[in-house]
């Protein structure tokens, strides 16, 4: 039934909204908590644009539930210099 969006936190949800997308789920305690909160049946498909350095928690939780995950390293997290 269409594409739905999830955001790892309120700031990400605001960014989605700023470009016209509404988050169906907004996490509060990290990726594993968000993955557990997603109302998805086994066999559902999830596309996950993530950081190249993303921890495996989100993907591991979804795969353990039988959800098909396609991850794409869409950006790198850089440390601030200074």
């Amino acid at each position: 039934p269409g594409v739905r969006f999830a955001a790892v936190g309120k700031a990400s949800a605001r960014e989605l909204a700023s470009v016209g997308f509404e988050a169906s789920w907004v996490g509060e305690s990290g990726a594993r908590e968000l993955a557990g909160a997603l109302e998805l049946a086994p066999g559902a498909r999830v596309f996950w644009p993530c950081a190249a350095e993303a921890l495996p928690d989100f993907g591991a939780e979804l795969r353990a539930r039988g959800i098909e995950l396609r991850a794409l390293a869409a950006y790198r997290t850089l440390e601030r210099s200074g």
Side-chain angles (χ1 to χ4, degrees):
V3 175
R4 295 187 291 172
F5 295 89
V8 75
K10 291 177 183 177
S12 295
R14 282 192 301 273
E15 287 299 318
L16 278 172
S18 76
V19 294
F21 298 103
E22 182 180 350
S24 298
W25 303 276
V26 179
E28 296 178 10
S29 303
R32 182 175 296 278
E33 175 268 335
L34 176 60
L38 296 177
E39 299 165 359
L40 301 170
R45 295 181 297 169
V46 170
F47 173 64
W48 180 32
C50 58
E53 309 79 17
L55 298 174
D57 297 359
F58 183 76
E61 178 70 26
L62 291 180
R63 288 186 181 106
R65 294 177 46 201
I67 295 167
E68 181 182 332
L69 180 69
R70 299 281 188 228
L72 171 68
Y75 60 93
R76 294 191 60 84
T77 303
L78 303 176
E79 291 185 35
R80 291 184 182 195
S81 60

